[in-house]
Amino acid sequence: MPLYFKVPCPNDFMAIAGVLRLSSKYFVEHLRERCLNRLDTDWPSTLAGWDRREQAATDSHGRYMPRESCPHPILAIQLALDLGIDSILPAAFYDLARYGPSKIMSGVPLTPSLFEKFLLKQKPQSSPPARIVYLSRDQLLRTLRGRERIQRYMAHFIASSLQSRVPAPNCAHSLDPDPSRPCHESFYFIMLNVLRSVGGIACGRDADTLYTLMQAMDMLSRTDFSDGQRQCGLRICQPCKVDFAACAMKAREEVWAALPRWFGLTGEDDADDTFP
């Protein structure tokens, strides 16, 4: 779609949705493919694509502004369900589940169409009634259940991979008088920061497990922590650092792979929330 939309903008969605509906109905395949490619950019089907999307939504000052480039996920969910575009549903439901329950339930106002804007210019004193798109009861339940399962996974990760973490077999501090103490302290520090929502509410990204896990990995190489006198990094040894980074990356891949099941998109019985 770069020929038509050079800079991604959420207002593009209504035009893309309209073209997609018409091209699907009248079998205009090249237009349909361009629309699908644009939707896949906003709601990718791969974890690597999601990471690129999140990076593009973060400006040079580190401010995260996804709604500046991507439309509201409720609109994507409605379109995908109407046209059977299953590939974007996991990312769209995950995107929506990062909001708090009240915001999820409040829906999203529709942007006035070009025709409505034209009418407004003709009659500036009148304004069209606000149209708000809400999730259906089934979609709302899917979103809230998925949100709960994502948060439960994060709690499981903290308990199993941070709180009770065993240092790497080849830990560089294993022969110290107090074996592996710097690594234990580092894991504890990471756990505290995760619990304080460094990757969540504190950054305006509530219930964003993929981001929280990425932030936990980034802490391994940061040098801007303070010990009260100077800035420093974690004292974790290289083998434990590599071991934890691999664990966190595996957890991100598990979360991404489980999204269709957690949001009830696979048709499987996903009542069992036993995590690997």
Side-chain angles (χ1 to χ4, degrees):
M1 292 301 269
L3 179 63
Y4 305 101
F5 303 104
K6 298 183 183 300
V7 179
C9 173
N11 291 335
D12 298 344
F13 182 81
M14 299 306 294
I16 292 171
V19 172
L20 182 57
R21 291 181 188 277
L22 288 173
S23 60
S24 299
K25 181 177 180 179
Y26 295 108
F27 305 102
V28 186
E29 194 59 28
H30 71 285
L31 287 179
R32 184 174 184 276
E33 284 298 320
R34 290 192 177 189
C35 293
L36 291 176
N37 288 339
R38 171 57 190 275
L39 291 178
D40 187 68
T41 299
D42 289 342
W43 293 282
S45 56
T46 65
L47 180 57
W50 177 262
D51 288 339
R52 286 193 296 270
R53 182 249 202 198
E54 294 295 271
Q55 183 62 41
T58 307
D59 68 11
S60 58
H61 300 288
R63 292 175 297 189
Y64 179 61
M65 300 181 292
R67 299 287 82 86
E68 294 291 319
S69 57
C70 300
H72 198 284
I74 287 181
L75 300 177
I77 290 170
Q78 300 283 26
L79 179 67
L81 291 174
D82 287 348
L83 299 182
I85 311 171
D86 296 340
S87 61
I88 71 171
L89 283 174
F93 271 109
Y94 179 77
D95 191 9
L96 179 61
R98 298 184 297 171
Y99 286 116
S102 60
K103 291 193 68 174
I104 293 172
M105 296 178 66
S106 64
V108 56
L110 272 181
T111 303
S113 66
L114 292 176
F115 181 68
E116 289 172 336
K117 292 179 179 178
F118 173 77
L119 291 179
L120 280 177
K121 290 182 179 179
Q122 304 302 313
K123 300 178 180 179
Q125 294 181 349
S126 64
S127 59
R131 293 184 297 164
I132 299 178
V133 179
Y134 296 99
L135 294 174
S136 68
R137 184 176 184 276
D138 174 70
Q139 295 162 9
L140 179 61
L141 289 176
R142 287 174 188 264
T143 305
L144 296 179
R145 285 171 179 165
R147 188 178 193 275
E148 176 67 18
R149 286 165 181 148
I150 291 168
Q151 291 181 313
R152 287 183 62 184
Y153 183 92
M154 193 66 232
H156 166 79
F157 178 84
I158 292 172
S160 63
S161 300
L162 281 172
Q163 185 176 10
S164 57
R165 185 169 193 81
V166 177
N170 55 341
C171 174
H173 300 291
S174 60
L175 300 179
D176 291 356
D178 188 352
S180 300
R181 179 175 178 177
C183 298
H184 281 298
E185 290 178 345
S186 297
F187 293 138
Y188 181 70
F189 182 84
I190 294 173
M191 183 185 72
L192 287 182
N193 277 274
V194 169
L195 290 173
R196 290 168 180 162
S197 298
V198 168
I201 298 172
C203 296
R205 299 178 74 160
D206 186 20
D208 194 345
T209 292
L210 291 174
Y211 178 71
T212 301
L213 290 168
M214 180 65 77
Q215 289 294 94
M217 295 166 59
D218 290 345
M219 287 184 218
L220 298 173
S221 56
R222 284 173 51 184
T223 58
D224 58 346
F225 299 117
S226 174
D227 61 1
Q229 296 180 336
R230 58 187 176 83
Q231 287 191 327
C232 58
L234 299 178
R235 296 170 57 210
I236 185 172
C237 71
Q238 186 64 23
C240 285
K241 184 182 294 187
V242 172
D243 187 54
F244 177 73
C247 176
M249 179 56 70
K250 181 183 177 183
R252 296 185 84 240
E253 293 169 351
E254 288 176 350
V255 169
W256 187 261
L259 291 180
R261 177 167 56 87
W262 288 344
F263 287 108
L265 303 174
T266 62
E268 300 176 5
D269 181 8
D270 55 359
D272 182 8
D273 286 335
T274 301
F275 300 116

